[in-house]
Amino acid sequence: WTSEPWEDSAGKLLFRVFDYLANQATDPTDTEALYACPHYADLQEEWRGDVADAWYDWRDYKAQHNIIDFHEMLSRPLDNGRSPERPILVVDEYHDVTGLMDKLFRAWMSEAEIVLVAGDPHQVVNAFDGASPEYFESLDLPKVLLPRSWRCPSEHWQVATNLLANAHDPPGVDVAGSGFVGDYNSPRFEYSSES
């Protein structure tokens, strides 16, 4: 581990690989998933060890010390066939779910009478961890585009849509409110281990 937040040590990278694979509901024995992991190439530059061996060592260590990772909280209901057992299921921010979350939520959806899922495929922020808007877009549910956005002023919306124009077309919605967008040139930002 390193003490500087901007430095990536082999340990940090190894756990990023672990998290990414777990979020995809797979492990290092799936070499296709391992090589698709965006952190794997960086890890190989820092460490040439066996990821699968480290994965199983970490799993054994957690079992001996009664430790669980976040992904294990998600996989336990799947492994045990458990669901919230409620007639209505609401899932928000579905555009940012990982493969494991998608698997869990779909299992719960199959048992609910009413399912509401909210998401915006243009807002994915956790792709580095395996989130993908494809999970949201592949849901076999009726889609409703809300006609008006109250999220940001129209000036901010315009800047964002201009910036992202090469990546996707903005949805056709009205944008409420007005705001201000100004230019600001910040001074150079320096950092070191002392400041």
Side-chain angles (χ1 to χ4, degrees):
W1 295 95
T2 63
S3 60
E4 311 301 350
W6 54 83
E7 293 177 2
D8 284 331
S9 66
K12 284 181 182 178
L13 292 167
L14 180 63
F15 278 95
R16 283 188 191 143
V17 169
F18 286 176
D19 289 342
Y20 183 90
L21 294 172
N23 287 338
Q24 296 310 311
T26 189
D27 62 49
T29 60
D30 180 347
T31 54
E32 185 177 332
L34 181 61
Y35 283 99
C37 174
H39 315 294
Y40 184 60
D42 293 334
L43 173 62
Q44 286 190 305
E45 290 178 16
E46 298 293 324
W47 181 68
R48 289 289 183 175
D50 188 297
V51 175
D53 286 346
W55 172 279
Y56 293 118
D57 288 346
W58 175 237
R59 186 188 65 186
D60 293 345
Y61 177 87
K62 290 187 299 182
Q64 292 169 5
H65 294 86
N66 198 25
I67 299 170
I68 63 171
D69 282 320
F70 177 69
H71 68 87
E72 290 160 324
M73 289 190 285
L74 299 175
S75 60
R76 283 186 178 178
L78 275 168
D79 296 342
N80 298 321
R82 301 294 309 264
S83 73
E85 298 178 3
R86 298 287 186 261
I88 300 172
L89 175 68
V90 178
V91 184
D92 194 11
E93 302 287 326
Y94 211 95
H95 57 268
D96 246 341
V97 304
T98 63
L100 178 58
M101 291 175 178
D102 181 63
K103 193 174 178 182
L104 176 65
F105 295 148
R106 286 178 192 261
W108 289 355
M109 285 179 205
S110 68
E111 297 183 15
E113 294 173 32
I114 298 171
V115 176
L116 300 171
V117 177
D120 181 351
H122 299 138
Q123 292 188 45
V124 177
V125 295
N126 294 321
F128 69 94
D129 244 354
S132 172
E134 293 173 10
Y135 300 118
F136 174 71
E137 292 169 334
S138 68
L139 290 171
D140 188 22
L141 296 171
K143 304 248 187 317
V144 176
L145 177 64
L146 300 178
R148 187 169 186 92
S149 172
W150 298 92
R151 189 168 196 158
C152 65
S154 58
E155 292 83 359
H156 297 182
W157 177 264
Q158 192 60 49
V159 169
T161 55
N162 288 343
L163 181 67
L164 298 173
N166 292 331
H168 56 75
D169 294 326
V173 297
D174 291 328
V175 180
S178 64
F180 172 75
V181 175
D183 291 328
Y184 177 74
N185 295 317
S186 75
R188 183 172 170 78
F189 179 75
E190 301 281 345
Y191 63 85
S192 69
S193 59
E194 287 82 36
S195 63

